[in-house]
Amino acid sequence: DTGVSQDPRHKITKRGQNVTFRCDPISEHNRLYWYRQTLGQGPEFLTYFQNEAQLEKSRLLSDRFSAERPKGSFSTLEIQRTEQGDSAMYLCASSLIAELSSYEQYFGPGTRLTVT
Amino acid sequence: AQTVTQSQPEMSVQEAETVTLSCTYDTSESDYYLFWYKQPPSRQMILVIRQEAYKQQNATENRFSVNFQKAAKSFSLKISDSQLGDAAMYFCAYRNTVLNFGNEKLTFGTGTRLTIIP
């Protein structure tokens, strides 16, 4: 068990550019979540997947944001036409939803996005 | 919608002493989970302790314990024998128990930054 990994750890981009982040969950976990954390705030839910199906999207996820989880393994979060307000830490978490599991969400180290 | 409030942006404690972090929440549900997560500087968030709302007994994990007051919707974290490694942001979080559509997300408070004084 290598834990949840995210890549890149840091991303600096200019306003208007597109960025893509990757999350690799714990291998047997079937649920994958994306959260956004701005300075001085707790993480806020963005979206989550059950295997490859995206089951819920927060209203925070504007149409410039898109998330995918092809084949139910890793996930990508893309932000198009970035704005300065997109600057934040993007956290990924995974969990195992199965009988007798704790449903605990395990978090990755996050990708810190800075939009200049 | 559920809300979680942490009214202490910062706390400090002498090493080896005890500190209590406060959390209140609001929900119309009768059954749910409450969590305390620890986020060390530049490191990933880890679960410290979990409480199921239907359990009257307060959860304990080694030096960490909670005071769960369901009627008051209060969920405080007590750290005993504080250690330098306890320095971190601590987040209180809420989750519904029903694992249906729309019920899985964690709702977090704004966090409390805990400093340990040597």
Side-chain angles (χ1 to χ4, degrees):
Chain A
D1 180 359
T2 57
V4 179
S5 61
Q6 292 187 245
D7 184 69
R9 295 290 304 276
H10 303 274
K11 178 70 177 180
I12 299 174
T13 191
K14 293 184 177 180
R15 187 178 54 183
Q17 297 295 305
N18 299 343
V19 295
T20 300
F21 311 139
R22 176 179 171 125
C23 170
D24 287 90
I26 294 171
S27 59
E28 68 270 22
H29 284 187
N30 46 16
R31 301 274 178 143
L32 186 147
Y33 311 81
W34 285 100
Y35 293 84
R36 181 174 70 184
Q37 184 178 17
T38 53
L39 280 176
Q41 299 296 317
E44 296 174 293
F45 171 78
L46 292 178
T47 188
Y48 84 91
F49 293 83
Q50 160 77 11
N51 299 317
E52 66 275 9
Q54 189 173 17
L55 296 187
E56 186 186 1
K57 294 193 293 185
S58 162
R59 61 179 180 274
L60 292 176
L61 213 64
S62 76
D63 56 7
R64 296 185 298 105
F65 288 70
S66 62
E68 295 182 340
R69 192 183 182 197
K71 302 178 183 178
S73 56
F74 70 92
S75 176
T76 58
L77 178 67
E78 181 183 17
I79 309 175
Q80 296 182 327
R81 305 181 303 281
T82 52
E83 301 173 356
Q84 287 188 320
D86 297 331
S87 295
M89 176 77 84
Y90 290 84
L91 297 171
C92 177
S94 70
S95 68
L96 175 64
I97 303 300
E99 189 174 349
L100 301 182
S101 81
S102 68
Y103 311 140
E104 176 184 343
Q105 293 185 23
Y106 293 81
F107 283 82
T111 294
R112 182 170 296 284
L113 172 67
T114 302
V115 182
T116 61
Chain B
Q2 293 82 19
T3 58
V4 177
T5 302
Q6 293 179 251
S7 59
Q8 304 157 315
E10 297 183 355
M11 292 281 286
S12 61
V13 63
Q14 293 280 149
E15 194 175 2
E17 296 296 309
T18 296
V19 64
T20 299
L21 308 183
S22 301
C23 172
T24 58
Y25 60 94
D26 190 27
T27 182
S28 57
E29 302 290 335
S30 59
D31 200 13
Y32 44 85
Y33 286 106
L34 296 166
F35 306 86
W36 280 97
Y37 278 88
K38 171 185 177 181
Q39 188 177 41
S42 302
R43 294 180 60 188
Q44 59 210 80
M45 191 154 1
I46 58 173
L47 179 65
V48 174
I49 198 165
R50 171 179 56 236
Q51 174 79 41
E52 291 91 339
Y54 70 88
K55 290 186 178 179
Q56 292 188 337
Q57 186 172 8
N58 289 324
T60 299
E61 288 287 343
N62 301 314
R63 298 182 295 109
F64 299 86
S65 62
V66 299
N67 183 7
F68 173 50
Q69 301 289 328
K70 190 173 184 180
K73 295 182 180 174
S74 170
F75 182 61
S76 61
L77 174 69
K78 185 172 81 171
I79 306 174
S80 303
D81 185 25
S82 298
Q83 300 175 0
L84 294 178
D86 295 333
M89 282 291 289
Y90 285 82
F91 291 98
C92 179
Y94 168 101
R95 197 199 79 202
N96 286 323
T97 55
V98 179
L99 295 180
N100 292 329
F101 181 84
N103 280 319
E104 286 198 36
K105 59 179 175 285
L106 290 167
T107 301
F108 288 88
T110 52
T112 297
R113 182 175 303 280
L114 179 64
T115 300
I116 311 297
I117 303 167

